[in-house]
PDB file of all heavy atoms in Angstrom:
ATOM      1  N   LEU A   1       0.824  -1.255   0.054  1.00 82.00           N
ATOM      2  CA  LEU A   1       0.004   0.051   0.019  1.00 82.00           C
ATOM      3  C   LEU A   1       0.853   1.276  -0.003  1.00 82.00           C
ATOM      4  O   LEU A   1       0.523   2.248  -0.676  1.00 82.00           O
ATOM      5  CB  LEU A   1      -1.059   0.009   1.182  1.00 82.00           C
ATOM      6  CG  LEU A   1      -2.009  -1.084   1.254  1.00 82.00           C
ATOM      7  CD1 LEU A   1      -2.878  -0.796   2.505  1.00 82.00           C
ATOM      8  CD2 LEU A   1      -2.853  -0.970  -0.017  1.00 82.00           C
ATOM      9  N   VAL A   2       1.989   1.247   0.674  1.00 83.00           N
ATOM     10  CA  VAL A   2       2.815   2.342   0.848  1.00 83.00           C
ATOM     11  C   VAL A   2       3.469   2.695  -0.606  1.00 83.00           C
ATOM     12  O   VAL A   2       3.550   3.829  -0.999  1.00 83.00           O
ATOM     13  CB  VAL A   2       3.963   2.168   1.904  1.00 83.00           C
ATOM     14  CG1 VAL A   2       4.920   3.256   1.721  1.00 83.00           C
ATOM     15  CG2 VAL A   2       3.262   2.168   3.226  1.00 83.00           C
ATOM     16  N   LEU A   3       3.895   1.515  -1.284  1.00 83.00           N
ATOM     17  CA  LEU A   3       4.468   1.658  -2.598  1.00 83.00           C
ATOM     18  C   LEU A   3       3.432   2.166  -3.665  1.00 83.00           C
ATOM     19  O   LEU A   3       3.688   3.079  -4.481  1.00 83.00           O
ATOM     20  CB  LEU A   3       5.043   0.399  -3.124  1.00 83.00           C
ATOM     21  CG  LEU A   3       6.197  -0.241  -2.343  1.00 83.00           C
ATOM     22  CD1 LEU A   3       6.512  -1.593  -2.875  1.00 83.00           C
ATOM     23  CD2 LEU A   3       7.373   0.753  -2.433  1.00 83.00           C
ATOM     24  N   LEU A   4       2.097   1.735  -3.403  1.00 81.00           N
ATOM     25  CA  LEU A   4       1.171   2.231  -4.373  1.00 81.00           C
ATOM     26  C   LEU A   4       0.848   3.765  -4.020  1.00 81.00           C
ATOM     27  O   LEU A   4       0.323   4.472  -4.979  1.00 81.00           O
ATOM     28  CB  LEU A   4      -0.108   1.378  -4.202  1.00 81.00           C
ATOM     29  CG  LEU A   4      -0.006  -0.038  -4.797  1.00 81.00           C
ATOM     30  CD1 LEU A   4      -1.349  -0.845  -4.582  1.00 81.00           C
ATOM     31  CD2 LEU A   4       0.265  -0.046  -6.313  1.00 81.00           C
ATOM     32  N   ARG A   5       1.052   4.052  -2.933  1.00 80.00           N
ATOM     33  CA  ARG A   5       0.781   5.478  -2.308  1.00 80.00           C
ATOM     34  C   ARG A   5       1.852   6.352  -2.937  1.00 80.00           C
ATOM     35  O   ARG A   5       1.441   7.500  -3.513  1.00 80.00           O
ATOM     36  CB  ARG A   5       0.751   5.603  -0.851  1.00 80.00           C
ATOM     37  CG  ARG A   5       0.840   7.053  -0.241  1.00 80.00           C
ATOM     38  CD  ARG A   5      -0.475   7.748  -0.561  1.00 80.00           C
ATOM     39  NE  ARG A   5      -0.520   9.073   0.176  1.00 80.00           N
ATOM     40  CZ  ARG A   5       0.029  10.186  -0.238  1.00 80.00           C
ATOM     41  NH1 ARG A   5       0.656  10.090  -1.472  1.00 80.00           N
ATOM     42  NH2 ARG A   5       0.071  11.247   0.505  1.00 80.00           N
ATOM     43  N   PHE A   6       3.115   5.972  -2.947  1.00 81.00           N
ATOM     44  CA  PHE A   6       4.174   7.038  -3.171  1.00 81.00           C
ATOM     45  C   PHE A   6       4.791   6.729  -4.689  1.00 81.00           C
ATOM     46  O   PHE A   6       5.483   7.613  -5.209  1.00 81.00           O
ATOM     47  CB  PHE A   6       5.279   7.095  -2.121  1.00 81.00           C
ATOM     48  CG  PHE A   6       4.723   7.438  -0.855  1.00 81.00           C
ATOM     49  CD1 PHE A   6       4.554   6.629   0.255  1.00 81.00           C
ATOM     50  CD2 PHE A   6       4.707   8.870  -0.645  1.00 81.00           C
ATOM     51  CE1 PHE A   6       3.998   7.166   1.465  1.00 81.00           C
ATOM     52  CE2 PHE A   6       4.158   9.368   0.547  1.00 81.00           C
ATOM     53  CZ  PHE A   6       4.016   8.542   1.587  1.00 81.00           C
ATOM     54  N   LEU A   7       4.788   5.452  -5.120  1.00 84.00           N
ATOM     55  CA  LEU A   7       5.460   5.197  -6.391  1.00 84.00           C
ATOM     56  C   LEU A   7       4.413   4.472  -7.328  1.00 84.00           C
ATOM     57  O   LEU A   7       4.646   3.566  -7.968  1.00 84.00           O
ATOM     58  CB  LEU A   7       6.581   4.199  -6.163  1.00 84.00           C
ATOM     59  CG  LEU A   7       7.595   4.783  -5.251  1.00 84.00           C
ATOM     60  CD1 LEU A   7       8.700   3.624  -4.961  1.00 84.00           C
ATOM     61  CD2 LEU A   7       8.427   6.047  -5.900  1.00 84.00           C
ATOM     62  N   PRO A   8       3.155   4.959  -7.530  1.00 81.00           N
ATOM     63  CA  PRO A   8       2.250   4.310  -8.386  1.00 81.00           C
ATOM     64  C   PRO A   8       2.709   4.285  -9.807  1.00 81.00           C
ATOM     65  O   PRO A   8       2.558   3.392 -10.566  1.00 81.00           O
ATOM     66  CB  PRO A   8       0.897   5.099  -8.172  1.00 81.00           C
ATOM     67  CG  PRO A   8       1.370   6.523  -7.736  1.00 81.00           C
ATOM     68  CD  PRO A   8       2.581   6.178  -6.893  1.00 81.00           C
ATOM     69  N   GLY A   9       3.230   5.575 -10.291  1.00 82.00           N
ATOM     70  CA  GLY A   9       3.620   5.525 -11.664  1.00 82.00           C
ATOM     71  C   GLY A   9       4.756   4.642 -11.971  1.00 82.00           C
ATOM     72  O   GLY A   9       4.652   4.018 -12.964  1.00 82.00           O
ATOM     73  N   PHE A  10       5.706   4.557 -11.088  1.00 84.00           N
ATOM     74  CA  PHE A  10       6.799   3.628 -11.169  1.00 84.00           C
ATOM     75  C   PHE A  10       6.323   2.140 -11.494  1.00 84.00           C
ATOM     76  O   PHE A  10       6.668   1.272 -12.247  1.00 84.00           O
ATOM     77  CB  PHE A  10       7.863   3.662 -10.173  1.00 84.00           C
ATOM     78  CG  PHE A  10       8.987   2.634 -10.290  1.00 84.00           C
ATOM     79  CD1 PHE A  10      10.010   2.781 -11.151  1.00 84.00           C
ATOM     80  CD2 PHE A  10       9.002   1.536  -9.363  1.00 84.00           C
ATOM     81  CE1 PHE A  10      11.038   1.864 -11.161  1.00 84.00           C
ATOM     82  CE2 PHE A  10      10.023   0.616  -9.440  1.00 84.00           C
ATOM     83  CZ  PHE A  10      10.948   0.748 -10.272  1.00 84.00           C
ATOM     84  N   ILE A  11       5.461   1.757 -10.488  1.00 81.00           N
ATOM     85  CA  ILE A  11       4.894   0.354 -10.449  1.00 81.00           C
ATOM     86  C   ILE A  11       3.975   0.106 -11.653  1.00 81.00           C
ATOM     87  O   ILE A  11       4.173  -0.952 -12.336  1.00 81.00           O
ATOM     88  CB  ILE A  11       4.005   0.166  -9.130  1.00 81.00           C
ATOM     89  CG1 ILE A  11       4.885   0.281  -7.832  1.00 81.00           C
ATOM     90  CG2 ILE A  11       3.377  -1.086  -9.173  1.00 81.00           C
ATOM     91  CD1 ILE A  11       4.057   0.231  -6.583  1.00 81.00           C
ATOM     92  N   VAL A  12       3.164   1.079 -12.040  1.00 82.00           N
ATOM     93  CA  VAL A  12       2.324   0.750 -13.244  1.00 82.00           C
ATOM     94  C   VAL A  12       3.113   0.612 -14.408  1.00 82.00           C
ATOM     95  O   VAL A  12       2.886  -0.260 -15.299  1.00 82.00           O
ATOM     96  CB  VAL A  12       1.152   1.941 -13.308  1.00 82.00           C
ATOM     97  CG1 VAL A  12       0.431   1.806 -14.544  1.00 82.00           C
ATOM     98  CG2 VAL A  12       0.240   1.872 -12.154  1.00 82.00           C
ATOM     99  N   TRP A  13       4.021   1.543 -14.745  1.00 84.00           N
ATOM    100  CA  TRP A  13       4.738   1.535 -15.989  1.00 84.00           C
ATOM    101  C   TRP A  13       5.724   0.269 -15.970  1.00 84.00           C
ATOM    102  O   TRP A  13       5.970  -0.288 -17.163  1.00 84.00           O
ATOM    103  CB  TRP A  13       5.469   2.800 -16.136  1.00 84.00           C
ATOM    104  CG  TRP A  13       4.616   3.844 -16.567  1.00 84.00           C
ATOM    105  CD1 TRP A  13       4.298   4.929 -15.826  1.00 84.00           C
ATOM    106  CD2 TRP A  13       3.906   4.055 -17.752  1.00 84.00           C
ATOM    107  NE1 TRP A  13       3.371   5.809 -16.481  1.00 84.00           N
ATOM    108  CE2 TRP A  13       3.111   5.167 -17.808  1.00 84.00           C
ATOM    109  CE3 TRP A  13       3.702   3.183 -19.018  1.00 84.00           C
ATOM    110  CZ2 TRP A  13       2.286   5.548 -18.805  1.00 84.00           C
ATOM    111  CZ3 TRP A  13       2.931   3.582 -20.035  1.00 84.00           C
ATOM    112  CH2 TRP A  13       2.288   4.737 -19.947  1.00 84.00           C
ATOM    113  N   VAL A  14       6.286  -0.087 -14.881  1.00 82.00           N
ATOM    114  CA  VAL A  14       7.171  -1.203 -14.744  1.00 82.00           C
ATOM    115  C   VAL A  14       6.227  -2.547 -15.098  1.00 82.00           C
ATOM    116  O   VAL A  14       6.719  -3.440 -15.774  1.00 82.00           O
ATOM    117  CB  VAL A  14       7.785  -1.408 -13.401  1.00 82.00           C
ATOM    118  CG1 VAL A  14       8.331  -2.856 -13.237  1.00 82.00           C
ATOM    119  CG2 VAL A  14       8.968  -0.352 -13.184  1.00 82.00           C
ATOM    120  N   VAL A  15       5.062  -2.527 -14.518  1.00 79.00           N
ATOM    121  CA  VAL A  15       4.273  -3.702 -14.933  1.00 79.00           C
ATOM    122  C   VAL A  15       3.968  -3.830 -16.399  1.00 79.00           C
ATOM    123  O   VAL A  15       3.940  -4.891 -16.999  1.00 79.00           O
ATOM    124  CB  VAL A  15       2.809  -3.608 -14.078  1.00 79.00           C
ATOM    125  CG1 VAL A  15       1.863  -4.567 -14.592  1.00 79.00           C
ATOM    126  CG2 VAL A  15       3.145  -3.908 -12.562  1.00 79.00           C
ATOM    127  N   LEU A  16       3.503  -2.443 -16.916  1.00 81.00           N
ATOM    128  CA  LEU A  16       3.208  -2.456 -18.324  1.00 81.00           C
ATOM    129  C   LEU A  16       4.433  -2.994 -19.202  1.00 81.00           C
ATOM    130  O   LEU A  16       4.293  -3.661 -20.258  1.00 81.00           O
ATOM    131  CB  LEU A  16       2.657  -1.195 -18.719  1.00 81.00           C
ATOM    132  CG  LEU A  16       1.250  -0.826 -18.165  1.00 81.00           C
ATOM    133  CD1 LEU A  16       0.923   0.599 -18.578  1.00 81.00           C
ATOM    134  CD2 LEU A  16       0.188  -1.808 -18.645  1.00 81.00           C
ATOM    135  N   LEU A  17       5.543  -2.427 -18.906  1.00 85.00           N
ATOM    136  CA  LEU A  17       6.767  -2.728 -19.529  1.00 85.00           C
ATOM    137  C   LEU A  17       7.096  -4.286 -19.512  1.00 85.00           C
ATOM    138  O   LEU A  17       7.544  -4.883 -20.517  1.00 85.00           O
ATOM    139  CB  LEU A  17       7.912  -1.861 -19.028  1.00 85.00           C
ATOM    140  CG  LEU A  17       9.310  -2.093 -19.676  1.00 85.00           C
ATOM    141  CD1 LEU A  17       9.194  -1.642 -21.099  1.00 85.00           C
ATOM    142  CD2 LEU A  17      10.361  -1.254 -19.035  1.00 85.00           C
ATOM    143  N   ALA A  18       6.816  -4.779 -18.316  1.00 81.00           N
ATOM    144  CA  ALA A  18       7.128  -6.229 -18.154  1.00 81.00           C
ATOM    145  C   ALA A  18       6.157  -7.103 -19.146  1.00 81.00           C
ATOM    146  O   ALA A  18       6.540  -8.021 -19.571  1.00 81.00           O
ATOM    147  CB  ALA A  18       6.944  -6.563 -16.725  1.00 81.00           C
ATOM    148  N   VAL A  19       4.790  -6.608 -19.217  1.00 80.00           N
ATOM    149  CA  VAL A  19       3.994  -7.391 -20.027  1.00 80.00           C
ATOM    150  C   VAL A  19       4.363  -7.254 -21.461  1.00 80.00           C
ATOM    151  O   VAL A  19       4.375  -8.276 -22.308  1.00 80.00           O
ATOM    152  CB  VAL A  19       2.532  -6.716 -19.793  1.00 80.00           C
ATOM    153  CG1 VAL A  19       1.601  -7.239 -21.026  1.00 80.00           C
ATOM    154  CG2 VAL A  19       1.995  -7.009 -18.537  1.00 80.00           C
ATOM    155  N   ILE A  20       4.819  -6.039 -21.956  1.00 86.00           N
ATOM    156  CA  ILE A  20       5.223  -5.782 -23.341  1.00 86.00           C
ATOM    157  C   ILE A  20       6.557  -6.669 -23.543  1.00 86.00           C
ATOM    158  O   ILE A  20       6.570  -7.325 -24.503  1.00 86.00           O
ATOM    159  CB  ILE A  20       5.553  -4.442 -23.566  1.00 86.00           C
ATOM    160  CG1 ILE A  20       4.154  -3.603 -23.441  1.00 86.00           C
ATOM    161  CG2 ILE A  20       6.138  -4.230 -24.907  1.00 86.00           C
ATOM    162  CD1 ILE A  20       4.456  -2.101 -23.681  1.00 86.00           C
ATOM    163  N   VAL A  21       7.515  -6.659 -22.670  1.00 87.00           N
ATOM    164  CA  VAL A  21       8.777  -7.510 -22.815  1.00 87.00           C
ATOM    165  C   VAL A  21       8.305  -9.010 -22.876  1.00 87.00           C
ATOM    166  O   VAL A  21       8.884  -9.683 -23.685  1.00 87.00           O
ATOM    167  CB  VAL A  21       9.719  -7.129 -21.676  1.00 87.00           C
ATOM    168  CG1 VAL A  21      10.935  -8.120 -21.712  1.00 87.00           C
ATOM    169  CG2 VAL A  21      10.259  -5.680 -21.806  1.00 87.00           C
ATOM    170  N   ALA A  22       7.462  -9.347 -21.912  1.00 84.00           N
ATOM    171  CA  ALA A  22       7.139 -10.835 -21.927  1.00 84.00           C
ATOM    172  C   ALA A  22       6.471 -11.140 -23.210  1.00 84.00           C
ATOM    173  O   ALA A  22       6.779 -12.232 -23.882  1.00 84.00           O
ATOM    174  CB  ALA A  22       6.158 -11.099 -20.784  1.00 84.00           C
ATOM    175  N   CYS A  23       5.499 -10.306 -23.676  1.00 85.00           N
ATOM    176  CA  CYS A  23       4.786 -10.574 -25.046  1.00 85.00           C
ATOM    177  C   CYS A  23       5.969 -10.734 -26.174  1.00 85.00           C
ATOM    178  O   CYS A  23       5.972 -11.620 -27.061  1.00 85.00           O
ATOM    179  CB  CYS A  23       3.798  -9.602 -25.411  1.00 85.00           C
ATOM    180  SG  CYS A  23       2.411  -9.825 -24.213  1.00 85.00           S
ATOM    181  N   THR A  24       6.775  -9.700 -26.148  1.00 88.00           N
ATOM    182  CA  THR A  24       7.867  -9.650 -27.303  1.00 88.00           C
ATOM    183  C   THR A  24       8.758 -10.888 -27.274  1.00 88.00           C
ATOM    184  O   THR A  24       9.038 -11.485 -28.271  1.00 88.00           O
ATOM    185  CB  THR A  24       8.605  -8.359 -27.050  1.00 88.00           C
ATOM    186  OG1 THR A  24       7.765  -7.260 -27.143  1.00 88.00           O
ATOM    187  CG2 THR A  24       9.568  -8.282 -28.251  1.00 88.00           C
ATOM    188  N   VAL A  25       9.182 -11.115 -26.067  1.00 88.00           N
ATOM    189  CA  VAL A  25      10.141 -12.338 -25.979  1.00 88.00           C
ATOM    190  C   VAL A  25       9.451 -13.695 -26.409  1.00 88.00           C
ATOM    191  O   VAL A  25      10.001 -14.479 -26.969  1.00 88.00           O
ATOM    192  CB  VAL A  25      10.753 -12.359 -24.530  1.00 88.00           C
ATOM    193  CG1 VAL A  25      11.527 -13.707 -24.281  1.00 88.00           C
ATOM    194  CG2 VAL A  25      11.723 -11.209 -24.138  1.00 88.00           C
ATOM    195  N   GLY A  26       8.177 -13.720 -25.866  1.00 86.00           N
ATOM    196  CA  GLY A  26       7.534 -14.944 -26.293  1.00 86.00           C
ATOM    197  C   GLY A  26       7.211 -15.054 -27.675  1.00 86.00           C
ATOM    198  O   GLY A  26       7.423 -16.233 -28.373  1.00 86.00           O
ATOM    199  N   THR A  27       6.868 -13.989 -28.396  1.00 88.00           N
ATOM    200  CA  THR A  27       6.733 -13.902 -29.709  1.00 88.00           C
ATOM    201  C   THR A  27       8.060 -14.305 -30.547  1.00 88.00           C
ATOM    202  O   THR A  27       8.052 -15.204 -31.507  1.00 88.00           O
ATOM    203  CB  THR A  27       6.272 -12.606 -30.320  1.00 88.00           C
ATOM    204  OG1 THR A  27       5.039 -12.293 -29.662  1.00 88.00           O
ATOM    205  CG2 THR A  27       6.008 -12.579 -31.799  1.00 88.00           C
ATOM    206  N   ILE A  28       9.118 -13.758 -30.158  1.00 89.00           N
ATOM    207  CA  ILE A  28      10.377 -14.037 -30.875  1.00 89.00           C
ATOM    208  C   ILE A  28      10.822 -15.467 -30.611  1.00 89.00           C
ATOM    209  O   ILE A  28      11.332 -16.014 -31.585  1.00 89.00           O
ATOM    210  CB  ILE A  28      11.410 -13.089 -30.123  1.00 89.00           C
ATOM    211  CG1 ILE A  28      11.299 -11.621 -30.590  1.00 89.00           C
ATOM    212  CG2 ILE A  28      12.844 -13.538 -30.738  1.00 89.00           C
ATOM    213  CD1 ILE A  28      12.186 -10.619 -29.915  1.00 89.00           C
ATOM    214  N   TRP A  29      10.596 -16.111 -29.408  1.00 88.00           N
ATOM    215  CA  TRP A  29      10.919 -17.450 -29.130  1.00 88.00           C
ATOM    216  C   TRP A  29      10.058 -18.356 -29.977  1.00 88.00           C
ATOM    217  O   TRP A  29      10.582 -19.278 -30.549  1.00 88.00           O
ATOM    218  CB  TRP A  29      10.661 -17.806 -27.677  1.00 88.00           C
ATOM    219  CG  TRP A  29      11.014 -19.138 -27.387  1.00 88.00           C
ATOM    220  CD1 TRP A  29      12.223 -19.615 -27.056  1.00 88.00           C
ATOM    221  CD2 TRP A  29      10.137 -20.327 -27.366  1.00 88.00           C
ATOM    222  NE1 TRP A  29      12.182 -20.961 -26.838  1.00 88.00           N
ATOM    223  CE2 TRP A  29      10.875 -21.441 -27.005  1.00 88.00           C
ATOM    224  CE3 TRP A  29       8.726 -20.297 -27.472  1.00 88.00           C
ATOM    225  CZ2 TRP A  29      10.230 -22.758 -26.850  1.00 88.00           C
ATOM    226  CZ3 TRP A  29       8.085 -21.553 -27.305  1.00 88.00           C
ATOM    227  CH2 TRP A  29       8.850 -22.790 -27.040  1.00 88.00           C
ATOM    228  N   LEU A  30       8.807 -18.039 -30.172  1.00 83.00           N
ATOM    229  CA  LEU A  30       7.997 -18.926 -31.118  1.00 83.00           C
ATOM    230  C   LEU A  30       8.353 -18.901 -32.549  1.00 83.00           C
ATOM    231  O   LEU A  30       8.351 -19.844 -33.195  1.00 83.00           O
ATOM    232  CB  LEU A  30       6.440 -18.346 -30.875  1.00 83.00           C
ATOM    233  CG  LEU A  30       5.769 -18.643 -29.553  1.00 83.00           C
ATOM    234  CD1 LEU A  30       4.334 -18.128 -29.527  1.00 83.00           C
ATOM    235  CD2 LEU A  30       5.698 -20.211 -29.499  1.00 83.00           C
ATOM    236  N   TRP A  31       8.854 -17.704 -32.961  1.00 88.00           N
ATOM    237  CA  TRP A  31       9.282 -17.522 -34.431  1.00 88.00           C
ATOM    238  C   TRP A  31      10.514 -18.271 -34.515  1.00 88.00           C
ATOM    239  O   TRP A  31      10.693 -19.049 -35.459  1.00 88.00           O
ATOM    240  CB  TRP A  31       9.455 -16.048 -34.768  1.00 88.00           C
ATOM    241  CG  TRP A  31       8.083 -15.499 -35.123  1.00 88.00           C
ATOM    242  CD1 TRP A  31       7.647 -14.356 -34.468  1.00 88.00           C
ATOM    243  CD2 TRP A  31       7.343 -15.679 -36.313  1.00 88.00           C
ATOM    244  NE1 TRP A  31       6.470 -14.044 -35.147  1.00 88.00           N
ATOM    245  CE2 TRP A  31       6.291 -14.816 -36.263  1.00 88.00           C
ATOM    246  CE3 TRP A  31       7.476 -16.543 -37.341  1.00 88.00           C
ATOM    247  CZ2 TRP A  31       5.310 -14.795 -37.292  1.00 88.00           C
ATOM    248  CZ3 TRP A  31       6.509 -16.562 -38.412  1.00 88.00           C
ATOM    249  CH2 TRP A  31       5.473 -15.660 -38.359  1.00 88.00           C
TER     250      TRP A  31
END
């Protein structure tokens, strides 16, 4: 809760970046 209170932008964008990286790496591995 403290992290969501003071670092919400960092957490949200790290999560979205992790999703994009995971999708990209998975796609490259399949090809």
Side-chain angles (χ1 to χ4, degrees):
L1 291 182
V2 172
L3 292 177
L4 291 175
R5 165 70 173 88
F6 294 102
L7 299 174
F10 175 78
I11 294 176
V12 170
W13 287 110
V14 165
V15 168
L16 292 176
L17 182 61
V19 172
I20 294 175
V21 170
C23 292
T24 304
V25 171
T27 302
I28 294 174
W29 181 82
L30 287 173
W31 281 112

